[in-house]
Amino acid sequence: MLADKKLDGYLFVGISDILYLTGFQSEGLFCLVTAKGTWIFTSALLAEQVRESTSGVKLIVGQRLTVSLKELRAKHRLKRLGFDSEQIFYRVGAALATQGLLPTPNPLEALRIVKDAEELDLLRRAGEITASAVQWMIPRVRAGMTEIQMARMIRNQFEKRGASDIGFELIAAVGPHTALPHHHPTEAVLKKNQAVLFDVGCRVGPYRSDLTRTFYYGTIPAGFKRVYGIVESAQKAGFEAVRPGHRGGEVDRASRGYIEKAGYGRYFVHSTGHGVGLDIHEPPWIRDKSQDVLASDMILTVEPGIYLPGRFGVRIEDTLRVTSRGYEILTKGKNE
Amino acid sequence: MLADKKLDGYLFVGISDILYLTGFQSEGLFCLVTAKGTWIFTSALLAEQVRESTSGVKLIVGQRLTVSLKELRAKHRLKRLGFDSEQIFYRVGAALATQGLLPTPNPLEALRIVKDAEELDLLRRAGEITASAVQWMIPRVRAGMTEIQMARMIRNQFEKRGASDIGFELIAAVGPHTALPHHHPTEAVLKKNQAVLFDVGCRVGPYRSDLTRTFYYGTIPAGFKRVYGIVESAQKAGFEAVRPGHRGGEVDRASRGYIEKAGYGRYFVHSTGHGVGLDIHEPPWIRDKSQDVLASDMILTVEPGIYLPGRFGVRIEDTLRVTSRGYEILTKGKNE
């Protein structure tokens, strides 16, 4: 893959990239991959942990990145080195560019985007735990519960069911808060006749899942019912566009087109989905004009939404696997 | 402050910086502060939330940063603009530099480093909750508990005692894992006659605390007792160096010097401390050669440690406030 890009090596800095490459997860590391070996640059603080958790990797401890890189390049005749300009901060990147390193698209993306059997096993388990915890939660929702309480109840279910951790900061929203796509749970209390939205996911090992359910607590008004029906159909339209060879943009178009035709286009303020894996947001991108081509064993979400400010929002989201002919839903509850 | 640096404005990207400036916390925002106004650049996804949570701020929604910046600069004659090269990724920073923006040290640092009464109130409460939760936990530690279980018990105590969230990923380590300063909790089970280390902290509102306690579960061996005594004295030596006018490097020297004299210098593999606030690691830096000058109402940790690979580690950490004459410990338990 490096040869394809005519590179002698590539400098990684992303936590998930380095985890994927070495099995060790931490902030503050750099990892240089070349045909002549793999080096991790670390502080003394982490050196012992890196040593214990990795194999076949050389360690450079407690030295300035730019200085030790220069030495390595001279010693091993590494001429063309790329670096990850999307994940390295400007100050460091500018010093690397001055040394002649090249800002280059991340070559791991193409590997990480398709999941192998072991990764799929963890992703499936994460999907099942997420779906079953939300299934457990919904009938237990009561007036008087706060958003923070509900988010914690779901998290505790994740843990009881064997998840390693939450997959991202869990969202629980009531009433008008459901109209804010990235709401943080507050002490707001659920009242009778309000919308409720959960956007939650767990981690199993380092692999994540992502699920959103919206429902109405009380007597469902016609306005909510209509919007819910549109979002549900828009999600199905998105599902049907998921298959090998289709582009991310086509899935987005399918869901978005449905919502636009129903007259709610301007209330669907985000992309239709995203890939899921070591990161909660990763390729393939399911958004307007995305050229990412879907293939078997890619994982992605389909999550259209309609948000009516000050009133309510509806989002329905599942995590899917691309199969040889279409899709498999990983976040389907057992009895759904 | 901008005038000092001869700037017409500064482009912020750090989550905590933008929270400090606007009261709104989210990833993926840019915030331009000038004498002529403050602008937030956001996606449509977050626009409604930013609008509801901020005031006196102008919004630029769903446009490319570089394009809208160019327009703003022309319209308001903003010539010299700085940007935060330590927190902006290279790809974006390089585009900004091409437009003539200047990589410049973050001017908020000097404001954020000294805490006002409201911030101190939250930091004190975070310190008290952290200390009391650990005091509750230690006598409840039993053989057979896993690291993950213990970390969750502490987190649940934080929540019961009114914390908003954990302050960082909590560390619970048993046996040889205590020798790994940034260990992640595992399913490792505590046995009789092992060291136990908790490095934990909570958030109250957006303000954090940081505390480490190490103890021996079982009959304390002489080796552990000796090392513990050295770390305890090294922490006290660090405390005594905390006062207005001293530099961060002097506090580091005081703790490190004590450990070096005792012959364990090479086993103290990290800096003596760091500031705490909206971020868990922020200025003032308490490390070798740090020139940060301490002043009243700065918050910092003092946390020397000795790590004997394969055997055990000891770290003792408290969060302190710098007072007019010395220091106040914010993580002292009620009966300590």
Side-chain angles (χ1 to χ4, degrees), chain A residues 10 20 27-28 47 54 56 61 67 70 81 114 144 169 175 182 223 265 291-292 315-316 332 334-335:
Chain A
Y10 193 85
Y20 191 86
E27 285 185 355
T54 60
V61 179
V67 174
K70 202 170 279 182
L81 295 184
V114 173
E169 206 207 327
H182 271 194
Q291 296 299 317
D292 295 350
R315 178 168 64 258
I316 310 174
K332 216 169 182 160
K334 273 176 195 156
N335 315 308

Side-chain angles (χ1 to χ4, degrees), chain B residues 137 142-153 172-174 185-190 198:
Chain B
M137 183 67 206
R142 294 283 176 276
M145 287 181 177
T146 69
E147 292 171 345
I148 289 175
Q149 258 181 308
M150 292 190 278
R152 286 181 181 168
M153 287 171 78
V174 304
T186 68
E187 297 291 350
V189 166
L190 174 64
F198 298 135

Side-chain angles (χ1 to χ4, degrees), chain A residues 67-259:
Chain A
V67 174
S68 38
L69 256 183
K70 202 170 279 182
E71 290 172 12
L72 276 185
R73 290 179 71 189
K75 190 169 164 199
H76 298 280
R77 295 194 205 159
L78 301 167
K79 280 179 193 159
R80 287 177 59 87
L81 295 184
F83 72 90
D84 186 351
S85 65
E86 309 258 348
Q87 298 193 79
I88 283 178
F89 289 123
Y90 181 80
R91 196 180 57 78
V92 182
L96 296 175
T98 303
Q99 280 195 22
L101 274 78
L102 308 160
T104 319
N106 189 323
L108 261 194
E109 218 177 271
L111 281 176
R112 281 182 49 192
I113 199 171
V114 173
K115 273 65 179 180
D116 67 20
E118 203 181 325
E119 293 175 291
L120 288 173
D121 178 49
L122 299 173
L123 286 157
R124 274 212 179 81
R125 282 162 59 196
E128 283 162 13
I129 290 170
T130 301
S132 67
V134 171
Q135 275 191 322
W136 176 93
M137 182 68 205
I138 290 177
R140 285 170 179 80
V141 166
R142 296 280 176 274
M145 287 181 177
T146 69
E147 293 170 345
I148 289 175
Q149 259 181 304
M150 292 189 279
R152 286 179 181 169
M153 286 171 77
I154 293 171
R155 184 200 62 198
N156 291 340
Q157 285 299 312
F158 286 167
E159 292 176 355
K160 275 198 182 162
R161 291 160 197 265
S164 312
D165 203 344
I166 52 175
F168 52 90
E169 206 207 327
L170 308 185
I171 299 176
V174 304
H177 288 168
T178 57
L180 305 170
H182 271 194
H183 179 65
H184 296 274
T186 69
E187 297 291 350
V189 165
L190 175 64
K191 295 181 212 132
K192 193 85 185 167
N193 297 322
Q194 277 190 321
V196 181
L197 182 150
F198 298 136
D199 183 349
V200 300
C202 68
R203 268 204 300 111
V204 173
Y207 286 90
R208 299 168 202 260
S209 71
D210 201 350
L211 168 80
T212 306
R213 294 290 179 262
T214 312
F215 59 99
Y216 203 85
Y217 183 73
T219 313
I220 307 174
F224 183 89
K225 210 169 191 171
R226 192 176 63 249
V227 167
Y228 189 94
I230 295 165
V231 175
E232 202 176 23
S233 300
Q235 197 199 25
K236 290 221 175 87
F239 286 172
E240 296 313 318
V242 174
R243 72 182 61 171
H246 277 201
R247 288 174 195 275
E250 291 174 77
V251 179
D252 184 76
R253 187 90 305 272
S255 274
R256 191 172 308 281
Y258 192 93
I259 288 175

Side-chain angles (χ1 to χ4, degrees), chain B residues 61-78:
Chain B
V61 179
Q63 289 179 50
R64 282 182 74 94
L65 174 68
T66 44
V67 173
S68 39
L69 255 183
K70 202 170 278 179
E71 291 171 11
L72 276 184
R73 291 180 70 190
K75 190 171 164 196
H76 297 279
R77 293 193 207 158
L78 301 167

